mmCIF file of all heavy atoms in Angstrom:
data_model
loop_
_atom_site.group_PDB
_atom_site.id
_atom_site.type_symbol
_atom_site.label_atom_id
_atom_site.label_comp_id
_atom_site.label_asym_id
_atom_site.label_seq_id
_atom_site.Cartn_x
_atom_site.Cartn_y
_atom_site.Cartn_z
ATOM 1 N N ARG A 43 11.037 16.452 -5.588
ATOM 2 C CA ARG A 43 10.868 17.872 -5.837
ATOM 3 C C ARG A 43 10.933 18.170 -7.335
ATOM 4 O O ARG A 43 11.798 17.645 -8.068
ATOM 5 C CB ARG A 43 11.963 18.632 -5.149
ATOM 6 C CG ARG A 43 11.852 20.157 -5.344
ATOM 7 C CD ARG A 43 12.967 20.873 -4.624
ATOM 8 N NE ARG A 43 12.719 22.320 -4.718
ATOM 9 C CZ ARG A 43 13.640 23.190 -4.406
ATOM 10 N NH1 ARG A 43 14.815 22.803 -3.869
ATOM 11 N NH2 ARG A 43 13.408 24.477 -4.515
ATOM 12 N N ASP A 44 10.041 19.008 -7.803
ATOM 13 C CA ASP A 44 10.103 19.549 -9.180
ATOM 14 C C ASP A 44 11.243 20.480 -9.183
ATOM 15 O O ASP A 44 11.211 21.516 -8.536
ATOM 16 C CB ASP A 44 8.755 20.211 -9.514
ATOM 17 C CG ASP A 44 8.664 20.751 -10.905
ATOM 18 O OD1 ASP A 44 9.552 20.414 -11.748
ATOM 19 O OD2 ASP A 44 7.835 21.589 -11.187
ATOM 20 N N PRO A 45 12.309 20.187 -9.993
ATOM 21 C CA PRO A 45 13.505 21.036 -9.979
ATOM 22 C C PRO A 45 13.191 22.512 -10.228
ATOM 23 O O PRO A 45 12.395 22.822 -11.121
ATOM 24 C CB PRO A 45 14.345 20.478 -11.095
ATOM 25 C CG PRO A 45 13.916 19.099 -11.261
ATOM 26 C CD PRO A 45 12.449 19.087 -10.928
ATOM 27 N N GLY A 46 13.769 23.355 -9.433
ATOM 28 C CA GLY A 46 13.614 24.844 -9.600
ATOM 29 C C GLY A 46 12.240 25.352 -9.145
ATOM 30 O O GLY A 46 11.977 26.503 -9.386
ATOM 31 N N SER A 47 11.562 24.548 -8.422
ATOM 32 C CA SER A 47 10.241 25.077 -7.922
ATOM 33 C C SER A 47 10.072 24.611 -6.435
ATOM 34 O O SER A 47 10.982 24.003 -5.841
ATOM 35 C CB SER A 47 9.089 24.459 -8.732
ATOM 36 O OG SER A 47 8.776 23.153 -8.295
ATOM 37 N N ASP A 48 9.017 24.956 -5.846
ATOM 38 C CA ASP A 48 8.675 24.599 -4.518
ATOM 39 C C ASP A 48 7.532 23.539 -4.481
ATOM 40 O O ASP A 48 6.854 23.329 -3.472
ATOM 41 C CB ASP A 48 8.280 25.800 -3.608
ATOM 42 C CG ASP A 48 9.481 26.664 -3.367
ATOM 43 O OD1 ASP A 48 10.477 26.170 -2.729
ATOM 44 O OD2 ASP A 48 9.504 27.835 -3.794
ATOM 45 N N LYS A 49 7.378 22.844 -5.599
ATOM 46 C CA LYS A 49 6.374 21.761 -5.709
ATOM 47 C C LYS A 49 7.041 20.441 -5.382
ATOM 48 O O LYS A 49 8.175 20.199 -5.749
ATOM 49 C CB LYS A 49 5.804 21.656 -7.152
ATOM 50 C CG LYS A 49 4.994 22.882 -7.549
ATOM 51 C CD LYS A 49 4.487 22.753 -8.935
ATOM 52 C CE LYS A 49 3.796 23.987 -9.361
ATOM 53 N NZ LYS A 49 3.381 23.900 -10.822
ATOM 54 N N GLY A 50 6.280 19.611 -4.649
ATOM 55 C CA GLY A 50 6.873 18.304 -4.263
ATOM 56 C C GLY A 50 5.781 17.239 -4.176
ATOM 57 O O GLY A 50 4.578 17.505 -4.169
ATOM 58 N N ILE A 51 6.253 15.998 -4.172
ATOM 59 C CA ILE A 51 5.419 14.843 -4.018
ATOM 60 C C ILE A 51 6.061 13.959 -2.965
ATOM 61 O O ILE A 51 7.245 13.667 -3.020
ATOM 62 C CB ILE A 51 5.241 14.050 -5.346
ATOM 63 C CG1 ILE A 51 4.518 14.874 -6.361
ATOM 64 C CG2 ILE A 51 4.482 12.743 -5.061
ATOM 65 C CD1 ILE A 51 4.509 14.254 -7.736
ATOM 66 N N SER A 52 5.302 13.544 -1.982
ATOM 67 C CA SER A 52 5.728 12.566 -0.994
ATOM 68 C C SER A 52 5.070 11.210 -1.315
ATOM 69 O O SER A 52 3.876 11.130 -1.551
ATOM 70 C CB SER A 52 5.297 13.051 0.379
ATOM 71 O OG SER A 52 5.480 11.963 1.310
ATOM 72 N N VAL A 53 5.897 10.191 -1.331
ATOM 73 C CA VAL A 53 5.418 8.816 -1.521
ATOM 74 C C VAL A 53 5.856 8.015 -0.314
ATOM 75 O O VAL A 53 7.056 7.918 -0.051
ATOM 76 C CB VAL A 53 5.957 8.189 -2.849
ATOM 77 C CG1 VAL A 53 5.388 6.780 -2.982
ATOM 78 C CG2 VAL A 53 5.597 9.067 -4.031
ATOM 79 N N ILE A 54 4.883 7.435 0.399
ATOM 80 C CA ILE A 54 5.206 6.665 1.583
ATOM 81 C C ILE A 54 4.614 5.292 1.448
ATOM 82 O O ILE A 54 3.470 5.117 1.112
ATOM 83 C CB ILE A 54 4.649 7.356 2.856
ATOM 84 C CG1 ILE A 54 5.138 8.786 2.961
ATOM 85 C CG2 ILE A 54 4.985 6.529 4.105
ATOM 86 C CD1 ILE A 54 4.477 9.618 4.021
ATOM 87 N N PHE A 55 5.457 4.251 1.718
ATOM 88 C CA PHE A 55 5.051 2.893 1.569
ATOM 89 C C PHE A 55 4.703 2.235 2.927
ATOM 90 O O PHE A 55 5.497 2.402 3.856
ATOM 91 C CB PHE A 55 6.151 2.048 0.876
ATOM 92 C CG PHE A 55 6.328 2.461 -0.529
ATOM 93 C CD1 PHE A 55 7.231 3.454 -0.885
ATOM 94 C CD2 PHE A 55 5.595 1.884 -1.576
ATOM 95 C CE1 PHE A 55 7.460 3.818 -2.150
ATOM 96 C CE2 PHE A 55 5.818 2.220 -2.878
ATOM 97 C CZ PHE A 55 6.733 3.219 -3.207
ATOM 98 N N TRP A 56 3.554 1.602 3.011
ATOM 99 C CA TRP A 56 3.113 0.956 4.238
ATOM 100 C C TRP A 56 2.735 -0.456 3.918
ATOM 101 O O TRP A 56 2.314 -0.821 2.886
ATOM 102 C CB TRP A 56 1.878 1.668 4.786
ATOM 103 C CG TRP A 56 2.105 3.096 5.192
ATOM 104 C CD1 TRP A 56 1.834 4.190 4.485
ATOM 105 C CD2 TRP A 56 2.677 3.516 6.416
ATOM 106 N NE1 TRP A 56 2.206 5.291 5.189
ATOM 107 C CE2 TRP A 56 2.711 4.903 6.407
ATOM 108 C CE3 TRP A 56 3.150 2.849 7.527
ATOM 109 C CZ2 TRP A 56 3.217 5.674 7.444
ATOM 110 C CZ3 TRP A 56 3.629 3.603 8.574
ATOM 111 C CH2 TRP A 56 3.705 4.994 8.541
ATOM 112 N N GLU A 57 2.810 -1.286 5.015
ATOM 113 C CA GLU A 57 2.350 -2.687 4.896
ATOM 114 C C GLU A 57 0.829 -2.722 4.709
ATOM 115 O O GLU A 57 0.309 -3.393 3.835
ATOM 116 C CB GLU A 57 2.746 -3.460 6.148
ATOM 117 C CG GLU A 57 2.575 -4.939 6.004
ATOM 118 C CD GLU A 57 3.495 -5.576 4.965
ATOM 119 O OE1 GLU A 57 4.656 -5.193 4.892
ATOM 120 O OE2 GLU A 57 3.042 -6.483 4.265
ATOM 121 N N THR A 58 0.116 -1.932 5.548
ATOM 122 C CA THR A 58 -1.314 -1.877 5.473
ATOM 123 C C THR A 58 -1.853 -0.454 5.767
ATOM 124 O O THR A 58 -1.121 0.373 6.326
ATOM 125 C CB THR A 58 -1.993 -2.801 6.534
ATOM 126 O OG1 THR A 58 -1.700 -2.336 7.837
ATOM 127 C CG2 THR A 58 -1.495 -4.247 6.413
ATOM 128 N N VAL A 59 -3.096 -0.211 5.425
ATOM 129 C CA VAL A 59 -3.723 1.114 5.741
ATOM 130 C C VAL A 59 -3.768 1.251 7.264
ATOM 131 O O VAL A 59 -3.573 2.390 7.745
ATOM 132 C CB VAL A 59 -5.135 1.190 5.130
ATOM 133 C CG1 VAL A 59 -5.842 2.441 5.611
ATOM 134 C CG2 VAL A 59 -5.058 1.125 3.603
ATOM 135 N N GLU A 60 -4.016 0.203 7.979
ATOM 136 C CA GLU A 60 -4.069 0.274 9.413
ATOM 137 C C GLU A 60 -2.727 0.754 10.018
ATOM 138 O O GLU A 60 -2.694 1.515 10.957
ATOM 139 C CB GLU A 60 -4.487 -1.084 10.038
ATOM 140 C CG GLU A 60 -5.942 -1.446 9.754
ATOM 141 C CD GLU A 60 -6.154 -2.002 8.319
ATOM 142 O OE1 GLU A 60 -5.162 -2.418 7.638
ATOM 143 O OE2 GLU A 60 -7.324 -1.937 7.861
ATOM 144 N N ASP A 61 -1.643 0.251 9.474
ATOM 145 C CA ASP A 61 -0.310 0.632 9.950
ATOM 146 C C ASP A 61 -0.098 2.153 9.713
ATOM 147 O O ASP A 61 0.403 2.863 10.586
ATOM 148 C CB ASP A 61 0.829 -0.091 9.211
ATOM 149 C CG ASP A 61 0.864 -1.543 9.558
ATOM 150 O OD1 ASP A 61 0.460 -1.903 10.672
ATOM 151 O OD2 ASP A 61 1.325 -2.348 8.718
#
Side-chain angles (χ1 to χ4, degrees):
R43 181 180 183 190
D44 179 17
S47 80
D48 289 301
K49 294 179 186 177
I51 296 173
S52 166
V53 181
I54 304 171
F55 293 91
W56 296 99
E57 190 68 39
T58 66
V59 174
E60 291 78 19
D61 290 333

